[in-house]
Amino acid sequence: MHFALNEDQVAVRDMAREFAAEKIAPHAVRWDEEKHFPVDVMREAASLGIGGVYIREEVGGSGMTRFDAALIFEALAQGCPTVSAFISIHNMASWMIDAYGNDAQRHKWLPKLCTMELLASYCLTEPGSGSDAAALRTRAIRDGDHYVLNGQKQFISGAGKGDLYVVMVRTGADGPGGISTLVIEGDTPGLSFGANERKMGWNAQPTRAVIFENVRVPVANRLGDEGIGFKIAMAGLDGGRINIAACSLGGAQCALDKSLAYMKERKAFGKRLDEFQALQFRLADMATELEAARTFVWRAAAALDRKDADATMLCAMAKRFGTDVGFEVANQALQLHGGYGYLSEYGIEKIVRDLRVHQILEGTNEIMRLIVSRKLIEGAR
């Protein structure tokens, strides 16, 4: 039961928090404005073990838990949610190779993924299939010892800068049973990218379409058997949902901390803002909601570590609740800053923009409700 962190967990959290404060936070607004992807800083983070948080140690990973990861990604997101979120996606894609790859695949790719010498992207969504992921159309046709790929993935984080793409493709009939997972190297002939998307937030990481035109990929790059790709994708998303909820908590905590500091200094009608009871109550509600969400994320992460039967449902619950609360707390923080909250130099509006997409990615919050309701109805039968 995780109602208090042990000594090791406190050390892990503090290490990530100090790195974020020193190496990420001072540059976050500029990175957002310049659409700069700070690969060098992420590699520094990887040198602390953050490039492969829950990857096995034999291939260079840190061998930590999903609970540890939640602490790390929340702490990093206090510096910049966008950077933390990309590192979390890199970890998710790397974990899929660790969990479902054979020894040759794991030893070939994971040591450099854990140092972030190689960057990994997760490729599931397509222009015509987002929430209905099992309807994906990217086709891989077997040709001897290779697959020939044609199709397109959409909204891919790190696309164009990445070295490995963990791609869900259709190798069989329609539906989830016809999907397989291939690891595709970024310099493979026929692989290209769309323009860097102009986005509301998440500007410190590139988002592009990944396009496959007669791309030949060795069969040796397939993770597991044909037909289990949808299972692999969904297993990756269980952890990814915990990670992105943790990123929302970190961004919201930063916004709350900025609000507390601002309200100590700002005066209105002869009083500091933090002396007005109505505003004190708003701060109390923000902190309470944030703590409730944090407790939920910890609960779901612990369940995933134990492989509990209800872990998938709890991950969906925590993702929905954590990302909704994170965005609302950040939005309230902007309101508490008044007009200054709308100015980029205070960093609040950036957090609001960054956290908004967390309610969409890793499965929209409407899909999280669908997952939860289905599990509840199945359990009642």
Side-chain angles (χ1 to χ4, degrees):
M1 296 178 69
H2 290 281
F3 291 105
L5 302 181
N6 63 36
E7 190 174 308
D8 289 342
Q9 290 163 340
V10 169
V12 164
R13 181 201 62 192
D14 289 351
M15 173 269 295
R17 187 178 289 173
E18 288 165 11
F19 182 87
E22 180 183 351
K23 300 289 188 176
I24 298 176
H27 312 290
V29 171
R30 177 175 59 83
W31 290 343
D32 175 75
E33 291 173 348
E34 298 176 359
K35 295 189 176 180
H36 175 68
F37 189 40
V39 175
D40 55 340
V41 174
M42 292 190 292
R43 286 176 177 155
E44 281 191 67
S47 71
L48 301 176
I50 294 172
V53 177
Y54 37 82
I55 306 302
R56 283 175 276 183
E57 293 178 281
E58 66 179 272
V59 287
S62 297
M64 290 191 276
T65 66
R66 300 297 182 140
F67 190 93
D68 295 324
L71 299 176
I72 288 169
F73 293 126
E74 177 180 350
L76 291 178
Q78 291 184 43
C80 177
T82 304
V83 173
S84 182
F86 179 79
I87 297 174
S88 83
I89 292 167
H90 170 88
N91 270 265
M92 176 175 70
S94 300
W95 174 83
M96 292 164 69
I97 296 172
D98 193 30
Y100 292 95
N102 57 39
D103 282 345
Q105 292 167 333
R106 293 175 61 246
H107 284 88
K108 178 181 180 181
W109 291 313
L110 287 170
K112 291 185 178 181
L113 287 170
C114 290
T115 62
M116 296 188 79
E117 179 180 341
L118 299 180
L119 302 180
S121 293
Y122 174 90
C123 301
L124 176 62
T125 299
E126 298 186 355
S129 62
S131 294
D132 185 11
L136 66 86
R137 306 308 305 168
T138 296
R139 172 71 64 175
I141 297 174
R142 182 77 177 259
D143 180 23
D145 292 333
H146 288 77
Y147 289 102
V148 180
L149 266 72
N150 284 280
Q152 180 173 322
K153 297 296 179 177
Q154 187 74 12
F155 304 130
I156 305 305
S157 294
K161 297 290 188 180
D163 303 283
L164 292 178
Y165 297 86
V166 180
V167 186
M168 271 49 71
V169 299
R170 188 161 302 284
T171 53
D174 290 346
I179 296 171
S180 301
T181 301
L182 300 178
V183 179
I184 303 176
E185 297 180 355
D187 59 356
T188 304
L191 176 63
S192 62
F193 307 96
N196 193 5
E197 302 287 1
R198 298 171 62 189
K199 309 186 295 287
M200 175 180 175
W202 266 33
N203 290 316
Q205 59 168 283
T207 303
R208 292 183 168 93
V210 180
I211 303 161
F212 307 99
E213 296 178 299
N214 295 319
V215 174
R216 294 182 66 83
V217 181
V219 172
N221 286 25
R222 188 185 68 220
L223 297 182
D225 296 330
E226 278 198 1
I228 68 166
F230 194 73
K231 172 188 172 183
I232 294 173
M234 293 303 104
L237 284 176
D238 279 346
R241 287 164 182 160
I242 293 295
N243 293 348
I244 211 63
C247 290
S248 289
L249 298 180
Q253 185 66 58
C254 179
L256 177 57
D257 292 343
K258 287 177 181 288
S259 297
L260 287 165
Y262 176 78
M263 292 170 68
K264 287 180 182 294
E265 299 174 357
R266 179 74 171 178
K267 288 186 176 181
F269 307 104
K271 297 167 62 176
R272 294 198 322 267
L273 292 188
D274 64 2
E275 295 179 300
F276 288 90
Q277 189 178 69
L279 300 185
Q280 292 171 353
F281 284 5
R282 185 178 297 191
L283 288 170
D285 286 345
M286 292 163 67
T288 301
E289 291 293 303
L290 195 52
E291 192 60 37
R294 181 176 293 113
T295 303
F296 205 155
V297 169
W298 288 8
R299 160 104 162 87
L304 191 59
D305 280 326
R306 293 192 302 267
K307 298 181 173 59
D308 287 359
D310 60 353
T312 292
M313 182 178 73
L314 288 170
C315 290
M317 287 178 167
K319 192 271 179 180
R320 198 285 298 168
F321 189 68
T323 58
D324 281 350
V325 166
F327 176 76
E328 182 57 28
V329 167
N331 199 38
Q332 288 289 337
L334 191 155
Q335 188 72 17
L336 288 171
H337 277 73
Y340 291 104
Y342 208 64
L343 301 181
S344 63
E345 65 191 87
Y346 282 76
I348 297 290
E349 60 85 30
K350 174 195 175 297
I351 295 172
V352 172
R353 290 187 288 106
D354 285 346
L355 296 194
R356 181 60 183 87
V357 75
H358 294 193
Q359 296 169 293
I360 297 171
L361 53 82
E362 311 287 21
T364 66
N365 285 1
E366 289 75 20
I367 292 297
M368 298 306 98
R369 291 176 172 90
L370 184 62
I371 292 169
V372 172
S373 62
R374 283 177 173 171
K375 293 290 186 180
L376 290 172
I377 290 166
E378 288 172 6
R381 287 174 182 163

